[in-house]
Amino acid sequence: MQRAEQRGDAAERSRSTRETVLRVDGLEKTYGQGDGAVTAADGVSFDVERGEVVGVLGPNGAGKTTTIKSILGLIVPSAGRIEVCGLDASEHPRAAYGHVSAMLEGARNVYWRLTVRENLSFFAALGGQGGEATRERRERLLEQFGLSGMADEPVNDLSRGQKQKVSLACTLARGTDVVFLDEPTLGLDVEASLELRRELRRLADEDDVTVVLSSHDMAVVEELCDRVVILSNGRVIADDTVTDLVDLFETQAYRIETDGPVEDRTRGILDERFDATGWETRGNRTSFEVTLTDDESLYDVLDVLRETGSRVADIDSQDPDLEDVFLEVTDRAVGSTGAER
């Protein structure tokens, strides 16, 4: 978490001096007409600065995919404005999308009949890249993703994880200002996933490449992203640094361990008053978790245990992470607006 805090502080200090490379203003997308119409994006707005890594998150049906595909020009929005590097994407689509590359999960992002090296050369050429610098970038990407030994093999002959690596390498081969990545670590082994995270941070920190990331892996998002934009029901419900969001929803959460069993009567009191969860018994120790509200304190829990004859052996404070924040934010949004679209 310390690295995320350091990135968040640095990002906040430099936001006022950075160039806005992506602007989404009032994006709307409705499918169908009349009573059967479904609004997938409902006034989505956010900006992304050069060199930022921004996570776009949301539960299934939140409008995340529609928003990203609208930004990329794969879906025509019903209303709103999208700018890429100062260019209106609807008025100057070719010029605007020349600054963008993307890897979409679940889609064929490369040509499987071509070799790995041919794919990298092809996608670099699509972006107008050529010459010695492009060849050096291609070889560096092959080495970085462990693809050098299979560079002349058709992509169709590779494993799923290897195909994912090729897709990532081809996305980066164009050298664009903005890179969209949907589930980039899917299918990667631990080592390859760590290498990818390091490379994405390097691209952002050293080359000022802007990364827009969508993933269900909150650990990846928390480690990589400077900011997160959370969607629910087609709307932006949170847009802030990871550090500030976690701090905002920081709660008094504790895991308490007792020396000896906890009677059923005591469990019932703790469950009813403090919504105790995660009960475990190991040997002669029993443990559980409580999350306290503003009008409750740890001493109230300890009083219940003492009055019922249970002795406390250990207490650990439980710090929230981005997954806790995500669940809290989306639960609140669904609770206030009804069922998720």
Side-chain angles (χ1 to χ4, degrees):
M1 188 64 187
Q2 184 177 6
R3 279 185 294 174
E5 291 175 350
Q6 292 170 345
R7 288 199 310 273
D9 293 342
E12 195 64 31
R13 287 194 300 269
S14 60
R15 276 183 67 83
S16 61
T17 61
R18 280 181 173 176
E19 171 194 1
T20 298
V21 294
L22 174 64
R23 172 161 291 156
V24 182
D25 184 15
L27 177 67
E28 297 181 11
K29 179 59 182 179
T30 300
Y31 297 96
Q33 297 179 346
D35 294 339
V38 175
T39 301
D42 188 6
V44 174
S45 298
F46 60 90
D47 292 350
V48 181
E49 311 296 325
R50 182 174 297 278
E52 275 194 303
V53 181
V54 176
V56 178
L57 312 178
N60 292 335
K64 180 176 74 268
T65 299
T66 295
T67 296
I68 291 176
K69 287 189 174 181
S70 295
I71 294 172
L72 292 173
L74 301 176
I75 292 176
V76 178
S78 305
R81 178 184 176 91
I82 297 167
E83 291 183 4
V84 181
C85 292
L87 298 166
D88 188 319
S90 64
E91 295 181 2
H92 309 284
R94 184 181 294 274
Y97 294 122
H99 294 277
V100 174
S101 56
M103 188 191 79
L104 301 180
E105 191 272 325
R108 285 199 176 191
N109 296 280
V110 296
Y111 291 96
W112 288 11
R113 292 183 182 275
L114 298 181
T115 67
V116 175
R117 181 176 278 110
E118 287 170 342
N119 266 288
L120 263 67
S121 299
F122 175 76
F123 284 100
L126 280 183
Q129 304 294 317
E132 184 61 28
T134 299
R135 285 190 289 274
E136 289 179 0
R137 180 189 296 118
R138 181 189 64 197
E139 296 306 314
R140 186 176 71 248
L141 288 168
L142 289 171
E143 180 67 25
Q144 171 196 334
F145 290 107
L147 297 169
S148 297
M150 58 196 73
D152 296 316
E153 295 183 25
V155 173
N156 193 51
D157 295 341
L158 306 182
S159 68
R160 179 183 178 184
Q162 291 166 341
K163 289 173 181 174
Q164 180 81 343
K165 292 180 183 180
V166 175
S167 295
L168 286 165
C170 288
T171 302
L172 299 175
R174 289 181 56 196
T176 57
D177 296 289
V178 186
V179 176
F180 283 80
L181 300 176
D182 190 9
E183 301 292 353
T185 58
L186 186 67
L188 298 182
D189 56 36
V190 174
E191 183 177 354
S193 177
L194 291 174
E195 289 176 356
L196 170 65
R197 299 180 204 185
R198 285 193 292 267
E199 176 62 14
L200 290 178
R201 279 310 326 174
R202 189 199 67 76
L203 286 169
D205 296 338
E206 299 179 14
D207 297 345
D208 261 354
V209 173
T210 302
V211 179
V212 179
L213 171 71
S214 176
S215 177
H216 286 91
D217 189 335
M218 291 298 164
V220 171
V221 174
E222 186 165 3
E223 180 178 348
L224 277 177
C225 293
D226 303 306
R227 287 169 49 218
V228 291
V229 176
I230 302 178
L231 301 177
S232 180
N233 221 31
R235 300 175 181 175
V236 175
I237 59 171
D239 180 357
D240 210 335
T241 66
V242 173
T243 302
D244 285 350
L245 279 174
V246 171
D247 288 346
L248 178 64
F249 286 90
E250 189 165 7
T251 57
Q252 295 176 284
Y254 302 93
R255 184 155 194 87
I256 300 172
E257 187 175 70
T258 63
D259 186 5
V262 176
E263 296 179 355
D264 290 343
R265 180 174 66 90
T266 305
R267 284 196 182 198
I269 296 172
L270 294 169
D271 288 346
E272 181 178 353
R273 287 188 56 184
F274 306 105
D275 195 23
T277 60
W279 288 93
E280 291 184 4
T281 299
R282 295 183 180 180
N284 65 342
R285 297 287 181 98
T286 300
S287 62
F288 61 95
E289 294 181 5
V290 290
T291 300
L292 306 178
T293 61
D294 292 339
D295 57 352
E296 298 170 337
S297 77
L298 177 62
Y299 295 107
D300 296 326
V301 180
L302 299 181
D303 285 344
V304 171
L305 292 170
R306 186 181 63 256
E307 291 168 1
T308 56
S310 297
R311 294 192 304 170
V312 175
D314 191 26
I315 301 174
D316 285 329
S317 176
Q318 305 291 301
D319 294 328
D321 58 17
L322 185 59
E323 184 170 1
D324 298 324
V325 172
F326 175 78
L327 293 173
E328 178 72 18
V329 170
T330 53
D331 283 349
R332 289 187 183 185
V334 172
S336 64
T337 60
E340 192 73 52
R341 283 191 184 96

